[in-house]
Amino acid sequence: MNKQKLVVVGNGMAGMRTVEELLTLAPDLYDITVIGKEPHGNYNRIMLSPVLAGEKTFAEIVLHSPDWYLQQGIELVSGQVVVDINRKTKQVLTDAGLSFDYDRLLLATGSVPFIIPIANHNHACVLSFRDIRDVNTMLEVTQHKQRVAVIGGGLLGLEAANGLLKRGVDVTVIHDTPCLMNRQLDSEAAHLLQKQLEANGMKFRMGAMTKEIVALDDGHLSHIAFKNGEDLPTDLVIMAVGIRPNVALAKQIGLQVDKAILVNDTMQTFDPSIYAVGECVQHRGALFGLVAPLYEQAKVCATHLAEIGIGRYVQKATATTLKVSGVNLFSAGDFSGANAETIVLRDTSSSIYKRLFIKDNKLVGAVLFGDVQDGNWYFDLIKQQQDISDIRADLVFGQ
């Protein structure tokens, strides 16, 4: 029996998790080809910051080595970019001129870093923090450039700053709002985090709007100029201001794209032969950046590629459990505070802060700093929307 051909465009965590699930369900159904632009196997991008900090090596964060692909009978085409897909003839073309036929195609093109379009944003000393090449470039450059400005006070920016700080580099984080990680934390937790990071040696410019990056020449920067007239001398700039779904290829071949590639509940695009998973997709209006929903999508997609057809992707509430520079953080639900009562616990001696948000005797949101051991319990209460009247008095002290 001739096997069907599956081509996977993208060798990242979402695409390869789908392949793993598929191999479990239907190991003999497809001849699989995986095409990735990076010159190596799949690795855990979440662990880039420990590599930057010197706590792990690249080898330790590799999820699938080139040998693994060989053992599974998968053709890995690394270091190449897909430049076109002919949907009529069902062929994929790479920038090296290679062509691959497919019966089913999986797009897992991920996302691209957003670069603020200001003067000198494309300078050699302005980097993003997205892949192992970025990390290696940072480590190489910071051997002789010691003043680094990180634009972006979200999780990615703080991880880059923390990694460089551990390498002995002078780091200043620039954030355009008064609160760090303003999508994951309320203002009080954000200020506690900033205080802790400052104690570790990290510097901050909060509420600062970057006007331009000023260069001395092609190989050296002078400073960052802010819109309020101030400036910050720097040798290297790391842009960590967010990501955008990588949809250029999907648009080029005529797939339906809004903010990202539109998929249905089976992770199928409007072309029935083409599926998509990960940060490049939009499902029922939502975009995705956390690993948990990406792995759920992979599981669903695999059941349909395996022709079992039982999976349906349903969006679930997600909680954020983080460790930033040794500080444990947790947030879940709605913590905007709109029309909600709050219960707060502050233990300054132990650096513990908890804020719970309650509406109609139901827990709707939680932010924890320092002590996060009850995070999952709070998250269950938020998801179940159960009446907490009986335990309200003791709720903030945990389970």
Side-chain angles (χ1 to χ4, degrees), residues 310-345:
I310 54 171
R312 187 170 78 86
Y313 180 63
V314 178
Q315 293 176 33
K316 297 174 183 171
T318 54
T320 307
T321 304
L322 306 164
K323 192 163 190 171
V324 180
S325 190
V327 180
N328 290 306
L329 305 164
F330 174 90
S331 65
D334 177 10
F335 48 90
S336 64
N339 304 316
E341 304 168 70
T342 60
I343 301 175
V344 181
L345 181 147

Side-chain angles (χ1 to χ4, degrees), residues 268-284:
Q268 193 177 45
T269 69
F270 280 75
D271 182 328
S273 300
I274 302 178
Y275 291 77
V277 292
E279 292 176 341
C280 64
V281 307
Q282 180 175 338
H283 173 264
R284 295 182 180 261

Side-chain angles (χ1 to χ4, degrees), residues 257-299:
V257 174
D258 181 22
K259 292 188 184 77
I261 303 167
L262 297 176
V263 294
N264 62 19
D265 292 347
T266 68
M267 308 314 296
Q268 193 177 45
T269 69
F270 280 75
D271 182 328
S273 300
I274 302 178
Y275 291 77
V277 292
E279 292 176 341
C280 64
V281 307
Q282 180 175 338
H283 173 264
R284 295 182 180 261
L287 303 177
F288 307 90
L290 297 173
V291 169
L294 269 54
Y295 282 1
E296 282 292 319
Q297 292 172 9
K299 189 178 291 187

Side-chain angles (χ1 to χ4, degrees), residues 100-163:
F100 301 91
D101 297 329
Y102 70 86
D103 297 294
R104 292 283 181 272
L105 180 70
L106 176 62
L107 295 179
T109 51
S111 58
V112 291
F114 177 67
I115 303 296
I116 306 170
I118 52 177
N120 287 310
H121 69 273
N122 54 356
H123 190 277
C125 295
V126 178
L127 305 174
S128 56
F129 180 40
R130 191 72 192 132
D131 55 34
I132 193 63
R133 187 179 65 175
D134 291 331
V135 171
N136 289 335
T137 305
M138 280 185 223
L139 294 177
E140 186 183 329
V141 171
T142 52
Q143 287 178 14
H144 49 89
K145 293 181 186 293
Q146 287 291 299
R147 298 175 302 175
V148 179
V150 177
I151 302 179
L155 178 61
L156 201 63
L158 293 179
E159 286 189 335
N162 184 51

